[in-house]
């Protein structure tokens, strides 16, 4: 899981750096394209069964939600301090509590309910609405977390009939094709070194997913899940040393509240 956190952190840093020269939609396209290419050997090895779907409408719904989440997260990463964006992404478990209650009928203990409310209070601290305006990039990060949570809830229902690899293949393919028209309209062809960095984002993203699967296979979720929060440390170090970012006190306070609350929710979900 430590390798997954490091891979995601490196990918996010690359996206932030490339975001100064390319629109978010173009970064989504190349991230998806190279991520799809990484899957080609698995498709060839698995044969036709890896391309067989039982509920195509669910794949389309998941694509719409996931593509929106990725585009919004890339927009947030290119604009916000790296640690601030990652902190807001960690509201995903909080949204999952709400969505699981509403759509899956799950009962939530009062401690996790309190942690959820506290976490959203932390988001308000980071956004500082009392100052008269809210950073649109922060709204993008929170909206991305909400869509990511929606995707996770949807995946929970899809796994009953769909193979995990099949879901990943069609999501990567859909994102590639879905962003191509906009990429052709507003994007521009990257230089060779930039294209290499974009390819690296796809490799790191796919690698991170692989490391996550391996981690959950090798150890209990109670051990694996908290390690994901090391991303915030990586983000803070990378943001400071590479992008010269130093979050203000409200960002730090809100991030601590959000991360602490989401950790409580995650630990509660894994039985601790």
């Amino acid at each position: 899981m430590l390798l997954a956190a490091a891979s995601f952190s490196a990918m996010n840093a690359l996206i932030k750096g490339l975001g100064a020269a390319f629109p978010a939609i173009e970064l989504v396209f190349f991230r998806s394209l190279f991520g799809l290419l990484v899957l080609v050997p698995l498709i060839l090895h698995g044969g036709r069964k890896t391309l067989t779907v039982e509920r195509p409408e669910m794949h389309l719904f998941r694509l719409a939600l996931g593509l929106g989440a990725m585009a919004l997260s890339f927009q947030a990463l290119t604009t916000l301090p790296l640690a601030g964006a990652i902190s807001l992404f960690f509201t995903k478990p909080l949204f999952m509590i709400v969505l699981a209650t509403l759509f899956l009928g799950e009962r939530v203990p009062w401690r996790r309910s309190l942690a959820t409310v506290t976490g959203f209070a932390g988001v308000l601290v980071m956004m500082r609405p009392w100052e008269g305006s809210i950073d649109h990039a922060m709204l993008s990060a929170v909206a991305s977390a909400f869509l990511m949570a929606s995707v996770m809830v949807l995946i929970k229902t899809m796994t009953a009939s769909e193979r995990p690899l099949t879901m990943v293949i069609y999501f990567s393919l859909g994102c590639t094709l879905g962003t191509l028209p906009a990429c052709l309209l507003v994007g521009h062809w990257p230089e060779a070194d930039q294209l290499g960095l974009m390819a690296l984002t796809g490799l790191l993203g796919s690698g991170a997913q692989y490391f996550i699967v391996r981690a959950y296979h090798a150890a209990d979720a109670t051990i694996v899940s908290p390690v994901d929060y090391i991303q915030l440390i990586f983000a803070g170090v990378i943001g400071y040393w590479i992008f010269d970012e130093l979050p203000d006190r409200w960002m730090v306070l809100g991030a601590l509240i959000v991360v602490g609350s989401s950790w409580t929710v995650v630990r509660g979900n894994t039985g601790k």
Side-chain angles (χ1 to χ4, degrees):
M1 194 64 182
L2 184 61
L3 289 174
S7 297
F8 274 130
S9 298
M11 184 191 74
N12 291 335
L14 287 173
I15 290 168
K16 184 173 183 62
L18 290 167
F22 299 94
I25 197 69
E26 186 170 1
L27 297 178
V28 172
F29 169 76
F30 281 106
R31 158 67 180 88
S32 303
L33 174 63
F34 288 112
L36 182 62
L37 293 177
V38 171
L39 297 173
V40 169
L42 298 177
I43 298 173
L44 296 176
H45 180 266
R48 292 185 61 182
K49 66 180 181 180
T50 61
L51 302 177
T52 302
V53 300
E54 300 294 331
R55 305 177 66 184
E57 73 284 357
M58 298 296 284
H59 285 272
L60 289 173
F61 190 29
R62 188 233 171 166
L63 172 62
L65 294 174
L67 182 54
M70 192 185 303
L72 288 169
S73 68
F74 282 21
Q75 182 64 44
L77 285 168
T78 58
T79 307
L80 294 173
L82 199 56
I86 300 301
S87 298
L88 290 170
F89 294 159
F90 277 129
T91 58
K92 180 179 71 173
L94 308 180
F95 282 116
M96 288 185 67
I97 288 290
V98 177
L99 293 171
T101 301
L102 293 176
F103 297 105
L104 299 180
E106 296 184 5
R107 299 184 63 180
V108 181
W110 70 268
R111 285 187 176 85
R112 272 187 280 163
S113 299
L114 179 60
T116 301
V117 174
T118 303
F120 286 125
V123 173
L124 291 178
V125 171
M126 296 178 71
M127 289 185 168
R128 304 187 292 276
W130 56 83
E131 293 185 355
S133 62
I134 296 178
D135 191 332
H136 288 173
M138 288 189 178
L139 291 176
S140 295
V142 174
S144 173
F146 170 74
L147 291 177
M148 285 190 286
S150 301
V151 168
M152 296 304 295
V153 172
L154 183 62
I155 287 176
K156 187 172 183 179
T157 64
M158 292 177 66
T159 52
S161 61
E162 308 297 326
R163 298 179 181 87
L165 178 58
T166 303
M167 288 190 285
V168 174
I169 291 170
Y170 280 107
F171 177 68
S172 298
L173 178 61
C175 286
T176 302
L177 297 177
T179 55
L180 178 59
C183 183
L184 293 174
L185 288 175
V186 302
H188 59 277
W189 189 255
E191 301 292 336
D193 57 337
Q194 294 171 326
L195 189 62
L197 292 176
M198 290 180 176
L200 187 56
T201 64
L203 179 62
L204 287 168
S206 297
Q209 295 293 335
Y210 171 77
F211 291 138
I212 288 173
V213 172
R214 292 283 297 179
Y216 278 100
H217 178 73
D220 292 339
T222 54
I223 298 174
V224 172
S225 296
V227 180
D228 191 36
Y229 289 86
I230 293 177
Q231 277 195 69
L232 190 58
I233 298 176
F234 289 149
V237 172
I238 293 172
Y240 179 77
W241 286 106
I242 297 180
F243 299 106
D244 197 27
E245 296 174 343
L246 192 62
D248 60 34
R249 66 181 187 278
W250 293 112
M251 182 75 74
V252 172
L253 176 60
L256 290 173
I257 296 172
V258 169
V259 172
S261 299
S262 61
W263 190 333
T264 300
V265 167
V266 170
R267 296 289 284 182
N269 283 337
T270 54
K272 292 289 184 180

